[in-house]
Amino acid sequence: MTVDPPLLAIDGGEPVRRDVLPYARQWLDERDEQAVLEVLRSDWLTTGPSVTRFEDAVRERTGAAGAVAVSSGTAALHAVMHAAGVGAGDEVIVPAMTFAATANAAVFQGATPVFADVLPGTLLVDPERVATLVGPRTRAIVGVDYGGQPCDYEALGQVAERQGLALIADAAHSLGASLRGRPVGTLADLTTLSFHPVKHITTGEGGMVLSAKADRLATLRRFRNHGFDRDHLQRAAEDSWRYDMIDLGFNYRLTDIQSALGMSQLARLDEWIARRRDIASRYTAFLRRGVLPARPLDLAPGVEHAYHLYVVSLDQERLSVGRDRVFAALRAEGIGVNVHYTPVHLHRFYRERFGTGPGGCPVAEAAFDRILSLPMFPAMTDGDVEDVARGLTKVLTAYAVP
Ligand SMILES: *Cc1c(COP(=O)(O)O)cnc(C)c1O
């Protein structure tokens, strides 16, 4: 007698869990609430002392020489494009496998993003590909620490240095990671962070730029504050109301309310990354048993991974359905998987405005059809991790080709 496999929830069966486990979620407690309340009762809701304190704390944690807090990771990317001197007619080399904002920031400045393909094992930008894309109009190279492991900034830095280009790290995924012992925040000329709720620590919305270059830091501070040559604190110190607008800038300031939340969150970063690594090692041990048609991405050499995402690649040759069906079936089981990302050059805006499209970055395009991000956040319990494993086993076994 054979036992029928369990009916998938998508076909009307019992789901693995009733409440959907999200792919990411913030973690706040009374300490965060208390920190925010203190600011709400103080004199400074914005441009006050909490912002500087948060900048100093991130600087200390990462070993970066300087930090400028801004209102989002996207604002941080826009600001670094400006600080790197990116303008109309320039080109910026950007990996195809990233969140759209990485490339959009170059467009904000009137520049053209040139999409570089990624390495098939890690989905990190391929430095050799980058080298072939550098031309007379190239102004900057952007690395994206996809999933939470730093790119090969040594190789990218050699290309940048040879050509006199700015090296930018989009480290929205990799706060707390390192490469050959060097922490994220010290690996590129300019590094951007995001504090969106799905990222390692949150301020609601928020971001930061890290850099060791004093002139760039001054430019960044002006850019977040309308391009003014001095802020209200400097004016108060000088007993003067005068300021001059010497540059075009924005209101990209982070509030004290957000900064206090960020400080409070940062205190738990190490503990949270340790938990992310623990969850990742459980997933990896489960997938390495090799029975399911899915495998984890590779770990790049010399990397201490921060696991913003845990991405698996489906073995399509061993599956009777495509990624989107697996995605829908897992969601129906209560396992909140996600897809990171649609390669940016395939988005309609880029096709229409810049003439990009399929075939431009074949490795990223092939990966896109296979990837799924599993739930990954520090508040997940061991039981949640087991639910993901049970959901994967149920769905991938049902769809495996015999
Ligand atoms: C989240 C993210 C951003 C944008 O950050 P926001 O704070 O949401 O503006 C940029 N790049 C990458 C790779 C991201 O994951």
Side-chain angles (χ1 to χ4, degrees):
M1 200 183 93
T2 58
V3 183
D4 282 339
L7 189 62
L8 295 182
I10 200 170
D11 298 323
E14 265 308 296
V16 167
R17 51 188 287 156
R18 299 229 152 260
D19 59 316
V20 176
L21 180 68
Y23 95 88
R25 188 163 60 206
Q26 71 275 15
W27 195 352
L28 278 86
D29 67 18
E30 298 75 23
R31 287 168 287 183
D32 300 300
E33 291 166 10
Q34 195 54 42
V36 169
L37 262 181
E38 275 168 32
V39 172
L40 291 177
R41 290 167 179 158
S42 79
D43 290 339
W44 297 99
L45 297 188
T46 190
T47 62
S50 295
V51 181
T52 318
R53 248 183 254 139
F54 183 39
E55 289 172 342
D56 289 345
V58 175
R59 232 173 10 81
E60 232 161 80
R61 173 62 182 76
T62 58
V68 179
V70 291
S71 53
S72 70
T74 304
L77 284 162
H78 188 186
V80 298
M81 292 295 164
H82 173 76
V86 171
D90 289 338
E91 291 179 354
V92 177
I93 300 174
V94 176
M97 187 53 82
T98 185
F99 184 59
T102 316
N104 295 352
V107 183
F108 295 164
Q109 290 294 100
T112 299
V114 174
F115 294 99
D117 211 347
V118 293
L119 297 161
T122 58
L123 307 188
L124 296 174
V125 73
D126 179 351
E128 285 178 21
R129 193 76 199 112
V130 169
T132 67
L133 294 173
V134 174
R137 301 197 308 169
T138 309
R139 188 57 92 132
I141 296 171
V142 186
V144 173
D145 298 346
Y146 179 80
Q149 52 180 344
C151 308
D152 187 349
Y153 288 106
E154 288 166 19
L156 293 174
Q158 281 169 12
V159 179
E161 204 164 322
R162 213 161 46 227
Q163 313 278 346
L165 309 172
L167 181 60
I168 294 167
D170 180 343
H173 297 185
S174 61
L175 174 60
S178 62
L179 176 66
R180 286 182 254 284
R182 287 176 62 202
V184 163
T186 66
L187 297 166
D189 299 324
L190 294 151
T191 300
T192 64
L193 302 175
S194 164
F195 307 126
H196 182 276
V198 299
K199 306 290 164 60
H200 288 91
I201 61 169
T202 190
T203 60
E205 299 280 1
M208 202 173 282
V209 181
L210 305 174
S211 180
K213 310 218 163 177
D215 53 337
R216 300 239 162 117
L217 290 163
T219 304
L220 291 161
R221 288 209 176 83
R222 280 201 302 275
F223 193 71
R224 77 170 167 191
N225 193 36
H226 310 287
F228 294 161
D229 63 345
R230 62 201 70 196
D231 64 20
H232 70 99
L233 292 172
Q234 289 162 296
R235 297 202 298 274
E238 292 165 4
D239 269 330
S240 164
W241 59 267
R242 283 178 192 281
Y243 57 86
D244 195 8
M245 190 192 124
I246 60 174
D247 204 354
L248 186 61
F250 290 74
N251 176 353
Y252 275 163
R253 298 184 302 258
L254 192 70
T255 66
D256 283 60
I257 306 166
Q258 293 166 309
S259 299
L261 178 55
M263 276 292 280
S264 164
Q265 291 262 299
L266 189 65
R268 277 162 291 158
L269 177 66
D270 289 336
E271 187 191 314
W272 287 346
I273 289 176
R275 178 61 183 154
R276 285 175 179 274
R277 288 177 179 154
D278 180 40
I279 294 166
S281 70
R282 285 163 194 263
Y283 280 153
T284 303
F286 164 72
L287 292 163
R288 284 273 153 79
R289 288 185 214 148
V291 288
L292 294 177
R295 57 165 189 80
L297 295 185
D298 295 345
L299 199 59
V303 157
E304 292 260 24
H305 205 310
Y307 288 107
H308 163 56
L309 302 176
Y310 190 95
V311 177
V312 298
S313 178
L314 299 178
D315 184 353
Q316 286 296 359
E317 289 70 39
R318 291 166 60 204
L319 282 166
S320 59
V321 296
R323 191 270 320 281
D324 288 347
R325 180 71 182 184
V326 174
F327 173 92
L330 282 166
R331 286 279 182 119
E333 298 295 343
I335 309 302
V337 286
N338 214 314
V339 175
H340 300 93
Y341 297 93
T342 301
V344 183
H345 68 292
L346 299 183
H347 282 299
R348 193 168 87 193
F349 171 82
Y350 283 100
R351 294 189 198 212
E352 290 181 359
R353 174 89 82 95
F354 295 100
T356 63
C361 294
V363 178
E365 290 163 34
F368 172 50
D369 290 335
R370 298 164 166 262
I371 48 177
L372 278 178
S373 305
L374 304 185
M376 171 56 88
F377 54 95
M380 275 176 78
T381 65
D382 291 352
D384 292 333
V385 177
E386 280 160 28
D387 284 347
V388 176
R390 281 201 293 140
L392 282 171
T393 303
K394 187 178 170 189
V395 168
L396 294 177
T397 307
Y399 291 139
V401 287

